[in-house]
Amino acid sequence: MKKLSLVNNNIVLIGPMGSGKTSIGRELSKLTNLKFIDIDDEIEKSTGVDIQTIFAHENEEGFRLREANALEKVSSINNSVISTGGGIVINEKNRKIIQSLGLVIYLQTNVENILKRISKDKTRPLIDVEDKKNAIEKIIYDRKSYYEEICILKIKTNNVSKNEVVNKILIEYENYKKN
C-alpha cells in the first residue's frame, strides 16, 4: 500500500458511478466534521445548469474540461471529504491533483450493484443507452487501471451497508493520520 502524508487532511473518493461516492462522502463528512465537496455539484453551481444539460450542449469533452476546472479550484482545499465524478480519472493531470489531495479511496462495485443503485436515475448521460449493462462494463474496464493507479485504499461496496464502508474508511483514515 502506498504511503501518504495527510498534510491537507482530505479524504478523496473515486470509483465508477453508483459506487457510493456521494452517499458515503456525505456520511463521512458528518462523522469527521470535514467539509463535503462533490465535484459534480461544484460544476452545477458554477454553470447554473445540471450535468445532463452540459453533456447535451458541450458533449463529454466540454464536461471533462469543466470537471478539470472544478477539481483545480478545490485542489488547495483542506479538511474535506471530496467526492469525484467517475470519469475524472481519465485525465492525467486530474489524477495527479487527486493524488496530492489526501487519502484516495477507490470504491469498487460490480455492474449488477451499479445497475440496481442507478436503475431509476435519469441523470447519467454516459449510460443513457439501450444496453446499460454493457455501457457500465465498458466504463469500468476503461477506467479501472486509473482508479488503481492513484488510490491508497480499495474498498468493495458490493452487498455491504453504507455504514460498514464508512466505518472501514474511518479506521483507515485514523491510521493514516497517526503515521
Side-chain angles (χ1 to χ4, degrees):
M1 198 164 290
K2 300 169 190 162
K3 191 74 173 140
L4 170 72
S5 169
L6 278 181
V7 292
N8 49 10
N9 203 35
N10 294 320
I11 299 171
V12 186
L13 302 175
I14 62 171
M17 68 180 81
S19 60
K21 298 180 301 288
T22 299
S23 62
I24 290 166
R26 283 195 175 109
E27 188 65 21
L28 281 170
S29 173
K30 287 180 202 168
L31 296 172
T32 59
N33 291 318
L34 298 174
K35 181 180 177 183
F36 178 69
I37 298 170
D38 184 294
I39 296 296
D40 285 350
D41 288 349
E42 295 299 308
I43 295 166
E44 289 181 348
K45 282 184 222 168
S46 72
T47 61
V49 297
D50 60 28
I51 301 300
Q52 307 89 278
T53 302
I54 295 169
F55 265 81
H57 292 277
E58 300 178 6
N59 299 311
E60 184 176 1
E61 185 178 323
F63 172 76
R64 295 292 170 216
L65 287 172
R66 292 184 181 279
E67 186 177 57
N69 289 336
L71 180 63
E72 185 76 37
K73 286 180 184 167
V74 302
S75 65
S76 61
I77 207 141
N78 297 313
N79 303 311
S80 298
V81 176
I82 303 165
S83 171
T84 65
I88 202 165
V89 296
I90 295 168
N91 178 302
E92 184 178 0
K93 183 178 178 190
N94 289 349
R95 292 193 303 272
K96 288 180 180 173
I97 291 171
I98 290 168
Q99 282 184 296
S100 74
L101 285 172
L103 176 59
V104 180
I105 300 172
Y106 171 17
L107 299 179
Q108 298 174 297
T109 194
N110 62 30
V111 175
E112 291 72 26
N113 277 304
I114 292 172
L115 284 168
K116 212 180 319 178
R117 292 174 185 168
I118 65 171
S119 64
K120 294 182 173 117
D121 189 343
K122 304 292 183 207
T123 65
R124 312 273 182 174
L126 291 179
I127 60 163
D128 189 14
V129 295
E130 181 113 0
D131 189 353
K132 291 181 185 340
K133 182 179 181 189
N134 188 51
I136 292 167
E137 286 172 344
K138 181 171 177 7
I139 288 168
I140 291 172
Y141 177 82
D142 289 346
R143 299 174 183 172
K144 182 179 180 190
S145 64
Y146 298 136
Y147 296 137
E148 291 180 347
E149 171 190 327
I150 64 173
C151 75
I152 302 298
L153 178 66
K154 297 179 210 175
I155 296 182
K156 292 187 186 305
T157 65
N158 297 327
N159 306 313
V160 180
S161 74
K162 176 173 68 173
N163 288 340
E164 288 176 278
V165 174
V166 167
N167 287 332
K168 284 181 186 179
I169 292 171
L170 289 173
I171 290 166
E172 291 299 324
Y173 178 63
E174 289 305 316
N175 289 336
Y176 277 105
K177 283 179 21 177
K178 289 176 190 173
N179 293 334

